[in-house]
Amino acid sequence: MRRQEFEMASEKIDTFVAGSYVEMERETEESSMGSKSKLSKYLWHGGSVYDAWFSCASNQVAQVLLTLPYSFSQLGMVSGIIFQLFYGLMGSWTAYLISLLYVEYRTRKEREKVDFRNHVIQWFEVLDGLLGKHWRNIGLFFNCTFLLFGSVIQLIACASNIYYINDNLDKRTWTYIFGACCATTVFIPSFHNYRIWSFLGLVMTTYTAWYLTIASFIHGQVEEVKHSGPSKVVLYFTGATNILYTFGGHAVTVEIMHAMWKPQKFKLIYLMATLYVLTLTLPSASAVYWAFGDMLLNHSNAFSLLPRTGFRDTAVILMLIHQFITFGFACTPLYFVWEKLIGMHEGKSMMKRAVVRLVIVIPIWFLAIVFPFFGPINSTVGSLLVTFTVYIIPALAHMITFAPAMARENAVERPPSFIGGWAGMYCMNCFVVVWVLVVGFGFGGWASMLNFIHQVNTFGLFTKCYQCPHKA
């Protein structure tokens, strides 16, 4: 009887959360329909389950699609496939934890009559509301630093890719140009407005993944191809950490959830997005590694080994557009944090907000010029930042939030029975924390830093054209 009463109460809470949010969205839409056409609404203003799925899938597989064959050359075929499946599931699990914590935080705040009408909830605010200011500060540091370098990586990838179409300019010059182009993301208000971009982004990466797969099979194996990976411990853990980074793209989960009309429906969206992403990453990485083998150890961008054709140029252009979109995904939460810091977040003038947002783009631009190491920088960011941001902190936060019996009893979302209830959930969270701390941060951090230092010593900081072939 008590169980039935609890479930009925939980359903009421869910209805309240979803209901108030839908009402808020409808009010916003009704007030703006006078100035926006229906076409604009369909292309620009998203908040459905499908929008969230497109956002997650599009954001998860960006430029990393081009570096996974490089990781396979470090890991070997079998380990590469296993790590993709393993970290894909682990990433989906911690994204699920973040969604539970968001719903818990939002429910508690809406019971207190807090209005989020003109306010975007972010991960550090969830930690603050559930665990206090110290957790907020830790979450804010790791999340912002990761998103900062995530944006840097997208900018580096733009310069690396365009070089394979037009090598009249060096990669550093292309970084200047694309830094200016990506700065236009300051005019995109929030994740609501990525509806058409998320859809197009996923179409672009789907084309690129299957181009890599088919082109590699058509090309065939190079003469005397070798598949010696894994050959060194340092390279092995560097490759594993790049895959950890690949499936750690859920640092923007809270912002994507907040853009949904019914955020409590997010639970399995990230898992569904990951399953689709695996249909792109596994065939493409395997095929390119099969064709080129150990040559990939010195070519971190898969485009560099495939012959230039119209199909390859199309893939390069599509990836450039997609990297612009992903740059916006990574930067938008940083824009929000900066707006909140200077008191501009709830302002109605988008032009004023866009101007102040430019401050965020400048250091990203600078760092992309300092560290243009496309490929190795992914592993370094993965081991030092992704490990804590989207794996360790969410798992620990969930365990501590629901440690008290009262918190578990009043939880908005209870653990599914098939994982063993609260005990099973705690065991899984403990495994995530220990594994990522030891393997991801420990061994991965050691290996990726050694590899990164090697790149600095070989090419130098501010290098003009990283891994460019010498011209006659």
Side-chain angles (χ1 to χ4, degrees):
M1 188 68 180
R2 266 185 165 186
R3 176 74 176 172
Q4 288 180 334
E5 288 175 0
F6 176 82
E7 288 177 352
M8 288 175 66
S10 180
E11 287 177 7
K12 287 180 181 178
I13 290 170
D14 282 354
T15 304
F16 170 69
V17 175
S20 63
Y21 202 71
V22 170
E23 184 180 347
M24 182 174 76
E25 288 301 320
R26 284 176 180 163
E27 286 176 8
T28 305
E29 287 179 17
E30 286 169 7
S31 66
S32 61
M33 278 303 287
S35 59
K36 291 184 179 180
S37 66
K38 287 186 177 181
L39 179 62
S40 176
K41 170 191 163 187
Y42 288 132
L43 295 178
W44 185 249
H45 194 75
S48 68
V49 169
Y50 301 104
D51 290 311
W53 183 84
F54 278 117
S55 292
C56 290
S58 178
N59 182 53
Q60 189 177 120
V61 57
Q63 50 72 38
V64 77
L65 190 68
L66 306 175
T67 64
L68 284 173
Y70 169 66
S71 296
F72 269 48
S73 69
Q74 297 170 320
L75 287 164
M77 187 74 80
V78 175
S79 291
I81 293 171
I82 290 172
F83 271 115
Q84 277 205 42
L85 295 171
F86 177 67
Y87 282 132
L89 290 174
M90 186 179 287
S92 300
W93 173 255
T94 53
Y96 171 65
L97 297 179
I98 292 172
S99 73
L100 296 182
L101 293 170
Y102 169 86
V103 171
E104 186 71 27
Y105 167 78
R106 181 155 184 174
T107 303
R108 292 183 188 182
K109 287 298 179 183
E110 291 196 348
R111 284 174 184 162
E112 299 169 7
K113 308 299 181 185
V114 176
D115 185 6
F116 295 110
R117 195 179 307 272
N118 296 313
H119 184 94
V120 176
I121 298 173
Q122 294 189 266
W123 175 233
F124 71 92
E125 293 169 314
V126 173
L127 292 174
D128 186 22
L130 296 177
L131 297 171
K133 65 178 183 179
H134 296 302
W135 277 87
R136 175 201 66 195
N137 294 338
I138 293 170
L140 186 61
F141 169 77
F142 278 105
N143 198 258
C144 288
T145 310
F146 166 46
L147 291 172
L148 179 77
F149 278 97
S151 303
V152 169
I153 289 170
Q154 298 309 319
L155 201 48
I156 294 170
C158 286
S160 177
N161 289 342
I162 192 63
Y163 184 79
Y164 297 113
I165 288 182
N166 186 339
D167 60 0
N168 293 324
L169 299 176
D170 58 74
K171 291 182 181 179
R172 185 200 296 168
T173 304
W174 280 119
T175 303
Y176 292 138
I177 294 169
F178 278 98
C181 294
C182 290
T184 58
T185 58
V186 299
F187 293 102
I188 301 176
S190 72
F191 281 94
H192 281 298
N193 311 111
Y194 276 94
R195 165 172 276 186
I196 187 63
W197 295 114
S198 296
F199 171 75
L200 291 176
L202 195 57
V203 171
M204 293 167 187
T205 49
T206 300
Y207 172 89
T208 304
W210 286 108
Y211 158 73
L212 292 173
T213 304
I214 295 169
S216 297
F217 284 127
I218 292 174
H219 182 279
Q221 291 184 314
V222 295
E223 191 175 348
E224 297 182 359
V225 63
K226 293 181 179 179
H227 300 90
S228 58
S231 57
K232 296 181 180 179
V233 176
V234 170
L235 294 179
Y236 187 83
F237 284 107
T238 301
T241 310
N242 186 41
I243 296 178
L244 178 79
Y245 169 84
T246 303
F247 295 98
H250 44 290
V252 295
T253 297
V254 170
E255 287 84 357
I256 292 173
M257 284 188 71
H258 192 81
M260 292 178 69
W261 295 318
K262 295 183 179 180
Q264 76 274 18
K265 288 188 174 182
F266 184 86
K267 300 175 201 173
L268 296 177
I269 287 176
Y270 197 86
L271 176 61
M272 295 298 104
T274 298
L275 293 177
Y276 179 77
V277 166
L278 285 169
T279 68
L280 305 180
T281 57
L282 285 172
S284 60
S286 302
V288 177
Y289 179 55
W290 169 83
F292 298 100
D294 291 352
M295 288 178 66
L296 286 158
L297 290 170
N298 297 314
H299 296 82
S300 55
N301 190 325
F303 283 144
S304 65
L305 290 174
L306 290 164
R308 182 170 182 179
T309 63
F311 293 110
R312 194 194 76 164
D313 286 355
T314 301
V316 170
I317 293 168
L318 292 179
M319 285 305 292
L320 286 172
I321 300 170
H322 184 264
Q323 280 147 9
F324 164 82
I325 297 167
T326 311
F327 182 94
F329 267 112
C331 251
T332 299
L334 296 176
Y335 297 153
F336 292 156
V337 172
W338 177 243
E339 289 171 356
K340 291 171 184 178
L341 183 65
I342 63 175
M344 289 285 291
H345 183 59
E346 297 183 8
K348 293 184 178 179
S349 172
M350 191 59 230
M351 186 57 67
K352 290 181 180 178
R353 291 172 63 192
V355 171
V356 299
R357 286 175 170 191
L358 285 171
V359 175
I360 301 298
V361 179
I362 295 170
I364 293 171
W365 212 343
F366 176 73
L367 289 169
I369 295 165
V370 178
F371 306 114
F373 311 123
F374 184 68
I377 194 173
N378 296 27
S379 299
T380 307
V381 171
S383 63
L384 303 182
L385 298 173
V386 175
T387 47
F388 286 94
T389 305
V390 294
Y391 292 101
I392 294 173
I393 291 176
L396 285 175
H398 189 274
M399 287 193 288
I400 296 172
T401 297
F402 295 105
M406 184 67 72
R408 294 195 298 275
E409 186 177 340
N410 296 324
V412 177
E413 295 280 354
R414 298 178 68 84
S417 57
F418 68 84
I419 67 168
W422 289 106
M425 182 166 265
Y426 268 68
C427 289
M428 291 182 72
N429 288 344
C430 286
F431 173 78
V432 169
V433 172
V434 174
W435 177 274
V436 176
L437 192 62
V438 175
V439 177
F441 177 71
F443 290 109
W446 162 73
S448 60
M449 282 304 299
L450 284 179
N451 188 37
F452 190 81
I453 291 168
H454 174 69
Q455 304 303 315
V456 173
N457 292 336
T458 304
F459 296 95
L461 300 177
F462 296 97
T463 185
K464 199 171 184 179
C465 209
Y466 177 66
Q467 286 189 341
C468 295
H470 294 291
K471 293 184 181 181

